[in-house]
Amino acid sequence: MATIANKKGFNPWLWFLAGGIPGFIILLVLPSANAEDIDKEIILKRKKIGNNTGAVITTIAIIAIVIVFIVLSSL
């Protein structure tokens, strides 16, 4: 995920744990911020959307991992 995000012009750290298959599909659907035929305003907008999306999905994944860990440790 991080490698694909980096190639598309997004912050790879924000996509590092981005939710498995659903995150992968979302990442593939997002338009690249590295396209050569777009102006700087569109590049910045795409980076912001991509980075925010990655951060949200990664945050949800981390919360889910913590919840699973807590539930499993209480058994």
Side-chain angles (χ1 to χ4, degrees):
M1 295 279 241
T3 302
I4 296 169
N6 191 41
K7 287 181 181 182
K8 290 187 99 170
F10 308 136
N11 184 331
W13 291 105
L14 295 176
W15 282 93
F16 186 70
L17 295 172
I21 292 173
F24 182 71
I25 292 169
I26 291 169
L27 181 57
L28 291 179
V29 171
L30 285 171
S32 176
N34 284 339
E36 295 178 10
D37 58 340
I38 57 176
D39 63 22
K40 291 188 182 211
E41 184 178 317
I42 294 173
I43 290 171
L44 293 175
K45 183 178 178 182
R46 287 183 180 182
K47 280 186 178 191
K48 183 177 179 181
I49 291 170
N51 289 336
N52 287 342
T53 303
V56 168
I57 296 171
T58 296
T59 301
I60 291 169
I62 290 170
I63 291 169
I65 290 168
V66 169
I67 290 171
V68 167
F69 179 75
I70 291 170
V71 169
L72 290 177
S73 67
S74 68
L75 296 177

